[in-house]
Amino acid sequence: MFKKIYTPIDNSDISDKVLQEALDLARATGAELRIAHVVNLEQITFGIEMVGVAELKDTLLAIANKLLVHVKALAKAKGVKAEVILLENYSDDLASLITKDAKTWGADLFILGSHHLGSFSHFITGGVAEDIAHDTDIPILLITKHKQA
């Protein structure tokens, strides 16, 4: 059975579902759980000398930290001991950063969400979950947002 579950989250509806599944699986199996949120600062720190950029960075980090406080409270309420971390990204693509962190931590399962943006949007933006699947040999449990009937 899996002993170290790694779950990257963003601030989306599908991440709420992913987080619930990760908490439930960790509780049921007794696995360690690491929940990571990435703040992508690459674009804004490129021109750090510009007016307002430092404030924007501070705002993004404050929003991220508020999310992490919420996630810690959810884990505690479910009786799950989870390590909740913030990763600041300045240059890597998100999948590489997440994959490196998971591997360093010793994860043996990813629980990922897929936004299902549609074929055109996916073609243009790609998908972090798909990129992680290409970058890792760690098994992946993929949680999707099912369409309502």
Side-chain angles (χ1 to χ4, degrees):
M1 186 51 73
F2 300 108
K3 301 203 183 311
K4 295 188 90 170
I5 300 170
Y6 191 99
T7 304
I9 59 167
D10 57 19
N11 212 351
S12 67
D13 290 345
I14 190 65
S15 270
D16 292 342
K17 190 174 178 183
V18 168
L19 180 59
Q20 292 304 319
E21 293 292 339
L23 290 169
D24 289 346
L25 185 60
R27 186 180 63 218
T29 63
E32 292 180 55
L33 177 61
R34 184 171 185 142
I35 303 164
H37 177 65
V38 179
V39 176
N40 199 8
L41 300 167
E42 180 180 15
Q43 290 83 8
I44 66 164
T45 55
F46 180 72
I48 196 72
E49 68 282 349
M50 294 174 55
V51 174
V53 171
E55 292 83 3
L56 177 58
K57 177 184 175 191
D58 291 344
T59 300
L60 291 173
L61 291 173
I63 292 167
N65 282 310
K66 185 177 177 182
L67 173 65
L68 297 184
V69 167
H70 174 69
V71 168
K72 287 176 187 177
L74 286 175
K76 186 176 181 180
K78 286 231 178 191
V80 176
K81 185 178 177 189
E83 180 181 1
V84 182
I85 63 163
L86 176 66
L87 299 173
E88 295 180 25
N89 183 35
Y90 294 96
S91 64
D92 288 329
D93 67 274
L94 296 179
S96 295
L97 180 70
I98 291 166
T99 302
K100 281 185 230 174
D101 187 58
K103 190 168 233 166
T104 300
W105 183 67
D108 58 8
L109 178 68
F110 271 113
I111 300 182
L112 305 175
S114 178
H115 294 279
H116 286 295
L117 298 173
S119 57
F120 181 72
S121 294
H122 185 75
F123 174 73
I124 298 298
T125 63
V128 175
E130 183 178 350
D131 292 342
I132 289 172
H134 287 272
D135 288 352
T136 190
D137 57 358
I138 298 169
I140 296 170
L141 173 60
L142 185 64
I143 308 299
T144 61
K145 188 175 183 178
H146 296 288
K147 294 181 181 179
Q148 299 295 324

